[in-house]
C-alpha cells in the first residue's frame, strides 16, 4: 500500500494510483525467480504473517512521521531488517558528500547545487536565459528594500551560478548613483558575497534604472558599476539601430514630454484637491504624497489616465510611461519595452529566451509595455516571485525535495549557530544573517522618491 502512495503527496491527502482508495486490495500476481534464475508468477494467496504485518505498519508509521518530506527509495536491499528508530533516514548509496542533516535542514543549498551538478553539461539551465524583474512589490515590498528574503536570494543565486542573466528593470531613477541602488538591494548583495559568487556569475547581474535610462552591472567587489554608454561596446551606441533606443532621443523631445506631464500633475492636484507635491528629475517627473499623507488609488489612476491622453493627443515621438505606482504616480521618458529590448540586443539574447516578471500589467502600470517584447509573468508579491523561480528551477531538473525548505540564517532560532546532526560543523558556507542586514540598512534611511538620504535622529 505504501508503494502505491504518490511519493510527493502530503500525509492524509496522498492519492493512490489506479483509483485504489481503501485497504481491500485484490491479490495480484508477483514475479519471483525460480531455482534456475528464471522469473515465474505466483499468486499472493497465502495469508500474511504477523511479523510481515508488523513490519508494514512500522514502515507506514515511519513514512508518516516525515510530514511533508518526500519518502526516499529503499533501493534493492530487501533484507527485512527493522530500523531501530521510527522515521530514521538511511543514507542511500552514492550519497552526497555533505554530512547528514536533520529534517529541517535537509534541503540546504549544497544539496540543490549537487542536484544541479548532476544535470547534463551545458552552458545554462534549460529555460529562459534572461530574466527581468520589476523592483517594488516583485523583489521587495513597495517602498522597502530587499532585506529579509533568504529563499528568493537563494534561487537568484542558483540561477546566476548556472548561466542565467538577471536584470532588475525598475522605475527607480537615481541616475548612476550606484550606492542608492545598492541600498535598495542590500540583503541580496550581502547574500551573494557570503556565498562567494564570483567572476562571470557576478557580471550577469544588471540593474536598469529609470525604466531604460541607467544601466549598471555587478562587479567582483560586490558593488554596482555604471556600464559605459558611449564608445566601443557602449550600451547606448550599440543599440541605436532600433528607433526607440535612448541613443536616438533628443534633449528637446525629453524636455517637451516632462513639461507636459508636469503641467498635467499640477492641474490634477488642483482639480482633485490632492495633498501631494511634484518632483522632477532628469528624465522623469512624479506626483508623491506629502509627509504623513496618502493619495487614494482612484485619484492616482485618474491622474495617470489624464496624462496618457494628453501625451497621446500631443503625438509625442519618444516612448514614455505614465503609471500608478500604488502610492505615487510617475511619468518616465522611456518604458520597460525599451529596457528589455536594449538588454536583449546588448546581451544577444532573443525574445523567446527572455522572461519578465512584474506586478503592474494594467494599462496604468509600468510592466504593461514589456508584454510586446517577451513572455511575462504577472505576480502580486515577492512570495509569488519566489514560487515562480522555484518552478523554473524545478522544470530545469532540480529535484523537488531539494527546493522544499530553506536553511536558517547563520544564527538559529535561539540565537545559537546551526549545526548538522551528530555535532558536525555547519554545512557549507555561512549564510548571511538577514536580520543583521536589516538592522544595518535601517541605520541609513533614504527617501525612495527623491533618493535623498535622511538623517536619523538618535533617541539619546
Amino acid at each position: 500500500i505504501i508503494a502505491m502512495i504518490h511519493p510527493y503527496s502530503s500525509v492524509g491527502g496522498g492519492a493512490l494510483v489506479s483509483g485504489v482508495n481503501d485497504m481491500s486490495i485484490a491479490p495480484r500476481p508477483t514475479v519471483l525467480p525460480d531455482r534456475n534464475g528464471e522469473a515465474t508468477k505466483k499468486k499472493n494467496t497465502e495469508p500474511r504473517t504477523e511479523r510481515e504485518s508488523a513490519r508494514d505498519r512500522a514502515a507506514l508509521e515511519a513514512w508518516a512521521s516525515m510530514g511533508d518530506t518526500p519518502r526516499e527509495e529503499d533501493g534493492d536491499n530487501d533484507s527485512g531488517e527493522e530500523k531501530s528508530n521510527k522515521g530514521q533516514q538511511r543514507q542511500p548509496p552514492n550519497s552526497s558528500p555533505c554530512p547528514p542533516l536533520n529534517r529541517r535542514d535537509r534541503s540546504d543549498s549544497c544539496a540543490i547545487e549537487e542536484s544541479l551538478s548532476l544535470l547534463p553539461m551545458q552552458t545554462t539551465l534549460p529555460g529562459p536565459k534572461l530574466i527581468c524583474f520589476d523592483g517594488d512589490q516583485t523583489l521587495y515590498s513597495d517602498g522597502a528594500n530587499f532585506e529579509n528574503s533568504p529563499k528568493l536570494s537563494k534561487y537568484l543565486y542558483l540561477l546566476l551560478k548556472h548561466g542565467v542573466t538577471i536584470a532588475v528593470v525598475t522605475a527607480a531613477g537615481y541616475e548612476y548613483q550606484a550606492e542608492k541602488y545598492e541600498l535598495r538591494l542590500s540583503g541580496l548583495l550581502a547574500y551573494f558575497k557570503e556565498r562567494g559568487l564570483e567572476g562571470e556569475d557576478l557580471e550577469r547581474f544588471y540593474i536598469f534604472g529609470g525604466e531604460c535610462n541607467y544601466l549598471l552591472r555587478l562587479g567582483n567587489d560586490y558593488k554596482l558599476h555604471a556600464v559605459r554608454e558611449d564608445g566601443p561596446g557602449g550600451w547606448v551606441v550599440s543599440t541605436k539601430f532600433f528607433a526607440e533606443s535612448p541613443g536616438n532621443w533628443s534633449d528637446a523631445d525629453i524636455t517637451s514630454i516632462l513639461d507636459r506631464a508636469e503641467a498635467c500633475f499640477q492641474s490634477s492636484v488642483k482639480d482633485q484637491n490632492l495633498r501631494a507635491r511634484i518632483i522632477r528629475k532628469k528624465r522623469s517627473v512624479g506626483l508623491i504624497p506629502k509627509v504623513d499623507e496618502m493619495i487614494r488609488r482612484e485619484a492616482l489612476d485618474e491622474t495617470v489616465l489624464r496624462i496618457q491622453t494628453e501625451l497621446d493627443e500631443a503625438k509625442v515621438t519618444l516612448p514614455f510611461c505614465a503609471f500608478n505606482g500604488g502610492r505615487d504616480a510617475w511619468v518616465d521618458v522611456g518604458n520597460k519595452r525599451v529596457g528589455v529590448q536594449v538588454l536583449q540586443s546588448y546581451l544577444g539574447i532573443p525574445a523567446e529566451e527572455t522572461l519578465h516578471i512584474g506586478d503592474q500589467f494594467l494599462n496604468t502600470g509600468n510592466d504593461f509595455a514589456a508584454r510586446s517584447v517577451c513572455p511575462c509573468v504577472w505576480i502580486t508579491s515577492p512570495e509569488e516571485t519566489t514560487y515562480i523561480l522555484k518552478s523554473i528551477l524545478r522544470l530545469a531538473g532540480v529535484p523537488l525535495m531539494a527546493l522544499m525548505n530553506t536553511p536558517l540564517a547563520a544564527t538559529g532560532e535561539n540565537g545559537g549557530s546551526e549545526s548538522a546532526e551528530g555535532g558536525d560543523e555547519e554545512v557549507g558556507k555561512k549564510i548571511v544573517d538577514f536580520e543583521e542586514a536589516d538592522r544595518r540598512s535601517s541605520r541609513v534611511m533614504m527617501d525612495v522618491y527623491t533618493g535623498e538620504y535622511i538623517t536619523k535622529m538618535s533617541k539619546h
Side-chain angles (χ1 to χ4, degrees):
I1 294 172
I2 298 173
M4 289 190 293
I5 299 177
H6 193 284
Y8 296 135
S9 300
S10 59
V11 176
L16 302 183
V17 292
S18 303
V20 180
N21 56 9
D22 56 34
M23 301 294 290
S24 58
I25 303 175
R28 299 192 178 200
T30 305
V31 178
L32 298 174
D34 60 13
R35 292 182 179 180
N36 297 325
E38 297 180 355
T40 59
K41 289 186 178 180
K42 179 181 179 180
K43 292 279 187 178
N44 287 333
T45 56
E46 298 181 3
R48 298 176 59 82
T49 66
E50 182 178 351
R51 177 180 175 82
E52 290 174 336
S53 299
R55 186 179 62 191
D56 287 347
R57 285 196 300 272
L60 180 58
E61 291 174 1
W63 179 86
S65 67
M66 295 171 59
D68 59 354
T69 306
R71 182 176 62 87
E72 296 183 1
E73 297 294 337
D74 290 337
D76 297 328
N77 186 5
D78 287 329
S79 62
E81 296 180 0
E82 297 186 10
K83 297 179 175 61
S84 58
N85 296 321
K86 293 180 181 180
Q88 182 177 354
Q89 298 294 315
R90 186 186 63 190
Q91 188 74 7
N94 302 324
S95 61
S96 166
C98 298
L101 304 177
N102 58 32
R103 196 157 50 95
R104 179 175 58 185
D105 293 335
R106 62 186 299 176
S107 295
D108 193 9
S109 292
C110 68
I112 305 175
E113 292 175 54
E114 179 186 344
S115 300
L116 288 170
S117 67
L118 298 177
L119 295 175
M121 293 298 295
Q122 52 194 5
T123 56
T124 59
L125 290 175
K129 305 300 184 291
L130 168 63
I131 304 181
C132 301
F133 297 88
D134 178 39
D136 291 80
Q137 208 57 28
T138 300
L139 292 179
Y140 41 82
S141 298
D142 190 18
N145 298 331
F146 192 118
E147 291 167 347
N148 190 15
S149 301
K151 279 188 177 180
L152 185 52
S153 299
K154 177 177 66 178
Y155 297 158
L156 291 168
Y157 162 81
L158 290 172
L159 289 168
L160 287 169
K161 188 76 174 174
H162 293 273
V164 180
T165 298
I166 302 296
V168 181
V169 183
T170 174
Y174 309 127
E175 300 187 26
Y176 283 111
Q177 301 176 62
E179 67 280 0
K180 296 182 178 180
Y181 298 104
E182 291 167 3
L183 180 61
R184 301 296 303 273
L185 298 170
S186 54
L188 180 61
L189 300 184
Y191 187 93
F192 291 164
K193 186 174 182 178
E194 289 291 340
R195 293 310 307 269
L197 195 67
E198 59 185 359
E200 294 181 356
D201 298 335
L202 279 174
E203 294 176 353
R204 282 195 295 272
F205 184 86
Y206 292 85
I207 186 164
F208 221 155
E211 312 277 0
C212 61
N213 287 286
Y214 314 109
L215 184 61
L216 301 95
R217 179 169 55 195
L218 193 59
N220 288 322
D221 56 355
Y222 300 96
K223 294 185 179 296
L224 293 167
H225 302 275
V227 178
R228 183 173 56 184
E229 292 185 350
D230 302 321
W235 71 268
V236 172
V237 173
S238 60
T239 59
K240 290 183 69 173
F241 65 90
F242 66 92
E244 291 187 331
S245 170
N248 298 320
W249 302 347
S250 68
D251 292 339
D253 290 336
I254 293 173
T255 302
S256 175
I257 290 178
L258 297 181
D259 287 345
R260 290 178 181 274
E262 186 173 5
C264 282
F265 277 140
Q266 290 172 348
S267 64
S268 289
V269 170
K270 181 179 178 181
D271 295 344
Q272 301 184 73
N273 195 25
L274 302 178
R275 297 182 178 91
R277 60 193 178 101
I278 300 168
I279 59 174
R280 181 159 173 170
K281 299 182 180 181
K282 186 177 180 180
R283 292 193 174 180
S284 64
V285 59
L287 180 74
I288 64 174
K290 291 182 178 179
V291 179
D292 298 329
E293 297 289 352
M294 184 186 72
I295 307 175
R296 295 182 63 86
R297 186 174 189 88
E298 295 83 0
L300 293 173
D301 279 338
E302 171 65 22
T303 302
V304 168
L305 293 172
R306 285 188 182 192
I307 294 176
Q308 290 177 345
T309 301
E310 169 70 21
L311 296 180
D312 287 341
E313 290 178 351
K315 301 187 186 307
V316 297
T317 58
L318 300 187
F320 68 91
C321 181
F323 68 96
N324 177 353
R327 300 185 302 171
D328 49 18
W330 288 86
V331 177
D332 292 324
V333 180
N335 54 37
K336 292 190 179 181
R337 179 181 68 245
V338 176
V340 174
Q341 276 186 305
V342 167
L343 288 168
Q344 290 170 341
S345 174
Y346 184 67
L347 301 173
I349 299 175
E352 59 269 20
E353 295 181 353
T354 304
L355 181 68
H356 178 75
I357 301 175
D359 69 309
Q360 292 274 9
F361 284 98
L362 296 176
N363 61 345
T364 55
N366 64 341
D367 292 304
F368 182 77
R371 297 177 60 177
S372 62
V373 292
C374 70
C376 295
V377 178
W378 189 346
I379 54 86
T380 60
S381 67
E383 289 75 23
E384 288 189 7
T385 303
T386 303
Y387 177 80
I388 292 298
L389 297 189
K390 174 184 174 181
S391 300
I392 291 173
L393 288 166
R394 180 73 177 118
L395 292 171
V398 181
L400 179 63
M401 185 172 64
L403 296 170
M404 288 182 66
N405 300 314
T406 299
L408 299 178
T411 56
E413 294 175 345
N414 299 323
S417 60
E418 291 291 325
S419 60
E421 285 187 42
D424 291 330
E425 295 182 358
E426 183 183 0
V427 177
K429 296 184 178 180
K430 177 182 176 182
I431 307 302
V432 63
D433 186 344
F434 283 96
E435 293 183 0
E436 176 63 18
D438 191 1
R439 287 192 295 271
R440 291 182 180 181
S441 64
S442 63
R443 297 172 188 168
V444 181
M445 302 294 290
M446 185 182 72
D447 187 332
V448 296
Y449 302 118
T450 64
E452 297 175 353
Y453 290 112
I454 301 173
T455 303
K456 219 178 170 184
M457 300 299 293
S458 175
K459 294 182 179 179
H460 301 289

